[in-house]
Amino acid sequence: EVADSLPASTDFDAVVLAVPHADFREIDFEAWLKGHDDIPVLDAGNVLTQGQRGALSKLGNPLISIGRGVHG
């Protein structure tokens, strides 16, 4: 069964995004994680949009990214 909504962010110790599903790019992290800036987010496959990355930075959630490549 696939859920059609996210569970409460308080149910998690961390968020790991490992597969670039299009639905992940629609998550409103600002609304979902609001007030829970202690939940780290690991973007393990260049999943997050620039806007999502900015929202997480604004919220203060630790953001760890791997798989973004090297930009010179």
Side-chain angles (χ1 to χ4, degrees):
E1 181 176 322
V2 176
D4 61 355
S5 63
L6 292 171
S9 62
T10 55
D11 292 345
F12 300 95
D13 294 323
V15 176
V16 178
L17 303 168
V19 181
H21 292 299
D23 289 343
F24 293 158
R25 293 180 178 263
E26 302 296 322
I27 296 173
D28 180 353
F29 284 100
E30 202 162 7
W32 187 51
L33 294 175
K34 188 173 185 167
H36 303 286
D37 62 0
D38 59 335
I39 299 173
V41 177
L42 170 62
D43 182 0
N46 199 22
V47 175
L48 297 174
T49 66
Q50 210 46 35
Q52 288 171 314
R53 297 177 69 73
L56 289 166
S57 177
K58 180 180 171 184
L59 291 170
N61 291 79
L63 174 60
I64 303 136
S65 296
I66 59 175
R68 291 181 56 85
V70 176
H71 302 281

